[in-house]
Each structure stands twice: as C-alpha cells, then as structure tokens.
Amino acid sequence: MDTDFTLSRRAALAGLAALPLVGCGGGSAGAAPAPVSAPAPTPPATGVPQPGLNAIAAQRGRKFGSAIASTPGTTNAGSIQNADYTAIIKGECGIVVPENEMKWQAVRPAPTVYAFDRMDEIVRWAQQNAHAVRGHTLLWHRPQWFPNWLNTYDYGANPVREAERLLTEHIQTVTRRYKGVISSYDVVNEAIDHDRGATIETSMSRAMGSPEAVIDLAFHTARAELPTAQLVYNDYMSWEPQHQRHCADVLRLLEGFRKRGTPVDALGIQSHIEIFAIDPATGVGPYAEREWRRFLDEVTAMGYRLLITEFDVKDKALPANIAQRDEKVADFARRYFDLMFDYDAKLDDVLAWGMVDKFNWLQGFEPSKRADGQEVRGTPYDSQYRAKPLRTALANVMSAAG
C-alpha cells in the first residue's frame, strides 16, 4: 500500500475521536490521515500571555514547542484530549512532538504489527491547529525501552541480515507514513552506556556486531527516505558538573559519526536541567559554564547544529515555599538559556517536555521526586494552568536573543 500520509474514509469520519490502539500485520496499519490545509491559528485562551513563546521564537527564525500525548478516554493528561492543556499549546507553541506515541513500544507491539492510531491523532490535531510536528524517536537505543519481543527476538541463521531488515523496515514504515509532515527526527535516542564509557549493547547490536552498526544503519536508512530532513542524535547531557563524563562520551560518538560518514545533522540537547544541590555563590544549582561552552564549541565545530528538545527543570534541592522555588527555577533556566542563546546562529527549535507541572514526567521519575512530597515545579505553567515565572523568564530570554 501507499504508506505516505493519506486519508482513509474511516479516519476522515473519525476526525479527532478517540480510536483504539490497534494494528495489523505486514508492515501497515491502515491509511494515515491526509494533510489538512492549514487554518488560521486558533486565538489563545484567556490566561495565555501575549505574545506567545512561539511568536517570540519566530522573530529569530525558530519555533518553540512542547511534547504532547494522545490519551483516548481521558482528559486528565497533557494530551490533545485536554482542552485546557491544548489552549496553552495553541497559545504558546508552533511545533509539537509525541511524548511516547512514536516509540517502538507504542507503534510496534509485535514484529509484524504496527499501531499508529495515537500518533495519527496527534498529527491530525497538529495539522488542524497549524502546528508543525517533530518525530521522536525512530530508535531509543536502550534495552529497557525496547518492546519485550525485541529483547528476546530470534534473529535466525543470518542474524546480521535479519537485524538489518528489522530496523530498515521499521524506519521506512514510520518515515513513509509521515512523509511531507515530519521534517526533523530524533533518529537515535540515548545510545551511550556511561558505566562502560561506550555505546549500549542490545539484542540488535549483538546480531549486527556492534552498536555503531545499528546506529549508523538507522541514520543511513532515514537519510535514504528523507533526503532533506534534519536527522538528530538526541541525548540528555547538560551543563551540571556531574554531566561532564557524559559530555565526553557524546563527543566521542559525534566524532565517530563524522569519521564514518554517518549522516547526522544535529545534536538534540534534552535539557532536563537539574537543581539537585545549591551553589552558595548563586543560590541555584551548580553549573559548569566553562566546560559546557567548551562542549558546545566542539559540537558545533564538527558542523552539527543544536536543538533543545526536552526542556524542564528538576527542583529537588529548592525550598518548599512556592514563590521562592518558582523564582529560583526561573533564575536557573534564565542562566541556562542565556548561555544557549550565545549559540543563536547554530541553535534551531526549542521544545519543552510538557507545559503543565502535574503532567510533567518528572512527577513520576524517582531521582527527581522531592523529599517533602510536593510537586516538581519545572514547567512553564502550574497545575492550575497558570503561567509561572519560568514562562516569563523564557519569554524574556528569547526576546533578548541575538
């Protein structure tokens, strides 16, 4: 079948209605919805400050955006089904990225089964609201985030060829479905084992002979399918002192891409910045500014562009007092973005990993949980959908960029 982003009558009638997460065999999952002619952007709801963050970012030729989910059957999520949440997305964002709906566990529950319904819902919603879409991710290179069947897969008598077929088919199926819609992909996510200082081993890398063989094939396959798309390696290194070893590992990986001719265009910097301790000199978390600049200088000197792909703030060491905490979170973020926008000419889009505190992944991430049991306040809006000082800091620093 034609796997480009085309519309079936069933999908057209369904619109944004909740659909069951189902798939069918043979590398297809029904026809995808067709591109919707872009309407005028929906006016933001009352309570979203103006100008919106995307309007500010657009002054420097980039987009501001956020992760978003699809949660059929519930509106209590950071999803397209939540009208309060989407009011913020419409007012602040020009691009969205699926939080989980494009990961292997979601779209490929079995070797011959694809399930695109929830990802299709996000794309339909984005098109109907004049938002661009990023792709995340074609390969999360960690066994704990593989579907179970992939960790135990029997690669047969010719494991190299079978692993190559499995990965190539997956990337072709996903990218062809959203061809003409998604032009920037996190092709590979988090491929480094920092305990060993080397790339992570998986069932697929053991079959193919090395993790590098898998990663390189992912990028070459994506490039063959999408000659003009931005192909991104995405990872969670940041400017805190404890990330310096991580940065060194990422630099070695990026250097290897260039030596091997792997078609990687940009580094996605997740930017889950951390206040796990307090620096007495600043009153916020410690950060290694000189070392972080050196890292960014080396990355950009190799010809890579930069994206901020998953921004939020971990506030574990800050006081419980909400006003004080919000002020410190905003200050820490301002310092970070002041530095990042020094690379204005090489920095592309900026995305948060969610816009509202109660739906942010950090609430359930054990290392980020606060000892006092309070919510992590690391996104631009609080759990009552009210803009916070962090949102103001983002607006101010993006307005001053360049």
Side-chain angles (χ1 to χ4, degrees):
M1 62 170 279
D2 182 358
T3 54
D4 283 357
F5 207 65
T6 55
L7 179 63
S8 70
R9 184 174 181 274
R10 180 188 66 81
L13 293 172
L16 291 175
L19 298 174
L21 185 61
V22 297
C24 57
S28 66
V36 177
S37 56
T42 304
T46 302
V48 177
Q50 291 300 296
L53 295 173
N54 186 65
I56 297 170
Q59 296 171 6
R60 301 295 301 173
R62 62 175 59 89
K63 295 182 180 69
F64 180 87
S66 174
I68 197 166
S70 176
T71 58
T74 181
T75 60
N76 187 30
S79 69
I80 60 173
Q81 288 81 9
N82 182 339
D84 292 325
Y85 190 77
T86 56
I88 292 173
I89 299 295
K90 291 174 185 178
E92 298 281 31
C93 299
I95 187 169
V96 294
V97 61
E99 188 167 12
N100 293 303
E101 287 77 359
M102 188 179 271
K103 294 169 183 173
W104 277 60
Q105 307 99 309
V107 299
R108 199 168 184 182
T112 59
V113 177
Y114 287 85
F116 286 109
D117 286 41
R118 293 191 182 184
M119 183 61 202
D120 287 352
E121 288 164 1
I122 290 173
V123 172
R124 277 196 295 272
W125 181 90
Q127 291 180 321
Q128 291 174 348
N129 289 281
H131 283 56
V133 183
R134 285 201 78 235
H136 175 84
T137 172
L138 297 178
L139 179 65
W140 194 348
H141 198 262
R142 288 177 175 269
Q144 63 266 44
W145 303 119
F146 276 11
N148 290 334
W149 67 263
L150 187 53
N151 283 321
T152 59
Y153 190 74
D154 182 359
Y155 290 90
N158 193 333
V160 174
R161 181 169 296 177
E162 178 59 12
E164 290 175 345
R165 183 200 66 78
L166 200 68
L167 180 59
T168 299
E169 178 199 278
H170 183 90
I171 292 174
Q172 288 175 339
T173 300
V174 175
T175 57
R176 289 175 185 178
R177 187 173 189 87
Y178 304 111
K179 190 169 290 185
V181 175
I182 298 176
S183 59
S184 177
Y185 274 94
D186 294 331
V187 177
V188 176
N189 191 53
E190 299 178 2
I192 296 170
D193 179 345
H194 300 290
D195 292 333
R196 297 190 303 112
T199 42
I200 294 171
E201 292 288 352
T202 68
S203 67
M204 202 174 291
S205 71
R206 289 187 290 272
M208 290 181 61
S210 72
E212 287 74 15
V214 177
I215 296 166
D216 287 357
L217 178 62
F219 278 103
H220 281 292
T221 304
R223 175 61 78 222
E225 293 298 317
L226 303 167
T228 62
Q230 184 181 56
L231 306 184
V232 180
Y233 173 72
N234 193 52
D235 214 328
Y236 60 84
M237 65 279 133
S238 190
W239 70 336
E240 296 81 10
Q242 66 267 29
H243 281 263
Q244 290 180 35
R245 179 179 173 185
H246 190 163
C247 291
D249 292 340
V250 170
L251 282 176
R252 283 194 296 273
L253 183 65
L254 297 178
E255 290 166 354
F257 290 152
R258 288 293 183 251
K259 290 176 182 177
R260 299 191 301 272
T262 310
V264 182
D265 301 315
L267 174 65
I269 301 171
Q270 292 180 10
S271 302
H272 300 294
I273 60 176
E274 304 176 356
I275 308 177
F276 282 175
I278 298 297
D279 182 344
T282 64
V284 293
Y287 54 93
E289 179 175 347
R290 182 181 305 172
E291 291 80 2
W292 184 240
R293 288 185 185 275
R294 185 179 302 122
F295 170 75
L296 296 175
D297 289 342
E298 293 193 46
V299 171
T300 55
M302 285 187 272
Y304 294 103
R305 296 195 62 80
L306 307 173
L307 297 91
I308 294 174
T309 55
E310 303 183 20
F311 167 74
D312 48 31
V313 185
K314 304 172 184 178
D315 67 1
K316 191 171 186 176
L318 292 177
N321 180 277
I322 288 176
Q324 293 176 5
R325 190 155 35 124
D326 284 355
E327 179 185 357
K328 295 296 186 181
V329 165
D331 184 25
F332 194 53
R334 176 193 59 77
R335 292 166 186 261
Y336 179 74
F337 278 95
D338 275 343
L339 189 158
M340 293 304 301
F341 281 116
D342 282 346
Y343 295 83
D344 181 68
K346 298 177 181 179
L347 178 65
D348 294 327
D349 296 338
V350 175
L351 289 92
W353 205 246
M355 294 293 286
V356 171
D357 285 338
K358 67 179 175 179
F359 304 130
N360 180 240
W361 74 289
L362 295 176
Q363 309 303 345
F365 182 54
E366 190 62 38
S368 300
K369 288 185 177 180
R370 295 178 54 86
D372 58 16
Q374 293 197 23
E375 284 185 339
V376 179
R377 292 181 64 87
T379 73
Y381 283 75
D382 70 14
S383 295
Q384 288 72 48
Y385 305 95
R386 298 175 301 201
K388 292 159 47 186
L390 176 56
R391 192 271 173 199
T392 302
L394 291 172
N396 290 343
V397 77
M398 287 196 294
S399 294

